[in-house]
Amino acid sequence: MQTTDLLRDLIAFPTVSADPNLDLILYCETLLRDVGAQVELIKDPSGQKANLYATIGRLDRPGVLLSGHTDVVPVVGQDWTVPPFEMTERDGLLFGRGCADMKGFVASAMAAALRAATLDLKTPLHLALSYDEEIGCVGVRSLIDMLAAAPIRPRFCIVGEPTSMQVATGHKGKTAARLVATGREGHSALAPSALNAIHMACDIISFIRDLQDKLAAAGARDPAYDVPYTTLHVGMIEGGTALNIVPNRSEFLFEIRNLIEDDPQQLLAQIRDHAASYVQGLRKNFPQADISIDVTNTYPPLNTDPDSDVVQLVQGLSGHDATLKVAFGTEGGLFSSRLEVPTVVCGPGSMAQGHKPDEYVSVAQLAACDAMMDALLQRLVVGL
């Protein structure tokens, strides 16, 4: 099958992260098993979502892993001019939810796997398709657990997030957390006799902003990133039930996107220590005062040596000598840190088109990805 035909089929599966991806996975499984690939599915507890891991070629030696996620972000509330779950071709562009992020790469990788099955590979080709990447690289972890227990792990990994076919060697890590502030309710006319939980939350937000300012001014720096330092960001806050009631509860969600040089646990510890000291000062008059902080999701940074074998390999395959680091997170950090598999990010399209209405990948970018796959297959026939 051609890559564009596969992409058309993949786009037609509305695999928003909140919904099942199993039909798409079963579609890919059937295609791969029909050409003799070794395929394993790792389902989630509901049985409605699954990762897929496939090997084409020998099972007794490590190969090259092509990794992509199958979930996409929602389209609700976006003003699309084309059907989001039908592929539309116009003026050299292919439109549809996931064309860039990242079903374009998945289609190219699937097409390569089907071609690989007709070849005598000395080095095997592996394919990993995951779920729930968009909500924090959640689904792939069970696949990584499986590979961690396997006798042979992949030698290299290419994560096909959209980089315009440039070779990306790094991205920041991410830690997401929820802070809950507990105060004491009261009538707003007697506000000083109560403890306003929204005010408590805002006081901690002020500390987080000060910590961000310090990192921006004097923290570790990596000029390869658009924002060259670790960032802290508060994205959601809620609290209160009525204007004339002093709220007894407030919560907010915040994140840390850290350079490899910064430990997010140390930054969290600073926030927790400040919160504990702050609460202690309130408890003399308000013994119920409390602040809790719980981590809701975390994934590690990717930081591959630009002189490593995997970088040189993918530079040669893609025809791009330069390297870059991307602002968005990927599953690559998990493959690299958990499995110690040398990993780069390289795929068709641009994240500038992702997560937006009328998402697209160009036909030229998809052809460039197919060319990289053909070059990879030639290397696998000879052997790495």
Side-chain angles (χ1 to χ4, degrees):
M1 293 182 69
Q2 298 296 312
T3 296
T4 51
D5 296 327
L6 284 161
L7 180 56
R8 180 176 291 103
D9 289 348
L10 295 177
I11 294 298
F13 292 100
T15 51
V16 174
S17 301
D19 301 323
N21 79 326
L22 190 61
D23 287 345
L24 181 152
I25 290 295
L26 294 177
Y27 165 84
C28 293
E29 179 190 27
T30 298
L31 291 177
L32 291 166
R33 287 195 188 279
D34 283 350
V35 297
Q38 299 287 325
V39 184
E40 184 165 357
L41 302 189
I42 307 98
K43 294 184 178 180
D44 78 338
S46 75
Q48 296 304 304
K49 295 184 179 183
N51 299 306
L52 178 150
Y53 187 78
T55 298
I56 297 91
R58 303 177 58 155
L59 301 177
D60 61 344
R61 62 181 59 183
V64 174
L65 172 62
L66 304 176
S67 174
H69 64 81
T70 62
D71 61 316
V72 297
V73 297
V75 300
V76 175
Q78 295 187 343
D79 187 17
W80 284 71
T81 65
V82 295
F85 296 110
E86 297 177 19
M87 194 182 78
T88 300
E89 184 171 359
R90 186 174 65 213
D91 300 327
L93 305 178
L94 304 172
F95 294 88
R97 174 55 89 217
C99 274
D101 184 19
M102 58 179 294
K103 289 181 177 179
F105 176 83
V106 172
S108 183
M110 279 289 298
L114 299 180
R115 294 196 301 277
T118 67
L119 305 174
D120 181 16
L121 304 183
K122 288 188 170 56
T123 299
L125 178 70
H126 309 293
L127 182 63
L129 305 180
S130 67
Y131 65 91
D132 283 1
E133 187 274 346
E134 294 289 2
I135 60 173
C137 301
V138 173
V140 75
R141 295 169 197 253
S142 60
L143 186 151
I144 288 175
D145 289 342
M146 180 197 76
L147 290 178
I152 298 175
R153 301 176 186 179
R155 181 177 175 186
F156 298 131
C157 176
I158 303 171
V159 176
E161 294 278 8
T163 64
S164 299
M165 297 307 298
Q166 303 290 315
V167 182
T169 61
H171 62 70
K172 296 177 182 179
K174 178 180 174 180
T175 299
R178 173 182 289 106
L179 183 144
V180 177
T182 302
R184 187 170 75 189
E185 66 274 22
H187 196 292
S188 62
L190 302 170
S193 65
L195 179 59
N196 191 313
I198 292 178
H199 292 178
M200 294 171 65
C202 289
D203 288 342
I204 305 303
I205 290 173
S206 180
F207 177 81
I208 291 173
R209 292 182 66 186
D210 289 343
L211 184 55
Q212 170 68 100
D213 289 344
K214 292 176 183 176
L215 289 168
R221 303 187 80 80
D222 186 338
Y225 288 105
D226 293 335
V227 180
Y229 48 82
T230 292
T231 59
L232 292 91
H233 155 75
V234 176
M236 296 179 66
I237 185 169
E238 62 180 31
T241 56
L243 182 58
N244 62 351
I245 300 174
V246 177
N248 66 2
R249 186 181 187 280
S250 180
E251 71 174 62
F252 64 83
L253 304 180
F254 69 101
E255 69 173 22
I256 302 168
R257 290 186 181 261
N258 66 288
L259 299 176
I260 191 75
E261 294 83 0
D262 288 325
D263 183 353
Q265 294 305 314
Q266 291 183 359
L267 295 172
L268 276 173
Q270 292 184 56
I271 298 170
R272 285 193 169 106
D273 289 348
H274 175 78
S277 176
Y278 171 80
V279 165
Q280 193 61 38
L282 297 172
R283 283 181 174 164
K284 179 180 178 180
N285 297 317
F286 304 99
Q288 65 270 72
D290 189 47
I291 290 177
S292 64
I293 300 174
D294 296 309
V295 173
T296 58
N297 182 262
T298 183
Y299 58 74
L302 176 68
N303 193 52
T304 301
D305 185 343
D307 295 323
S308 65
D309 289 345
V310 67
V311 173
Q312 294 180 32
L313 171 67
V314 180
Q315 284 175 328
L317 299 176
S318 67
H320 292 287
D321 293 334
T323 62
L324 73 157
K325 295 184 178 180
V326 292
F328 53 87
T330 79
E331 296 169 339
L334 290 164
F335 284 107
S336 177
S337 65
R338 288 278 313 278
L339 298 177
E340 298 183 340
V341 174
T343 300
V344 296
V345 182
C346 183
S350 168
M351 197 58 83
Q353 277 76 55
H355 296 211
K356 293 181 178 181
D358 291 354
E359 178 181 350
Y360 69 83
V361 66
S362 72
V363 173
Q365 278 284 297
L366 212 55
C369 190
D370 286 343
M372 182 179 78
M373 295 298 176
D374 284 338
L376 174 62
L377 295 184
Q378 292 174 22
R379 292 294 304 274
L380 298 183
V381 168
V382 176
L384 294 177

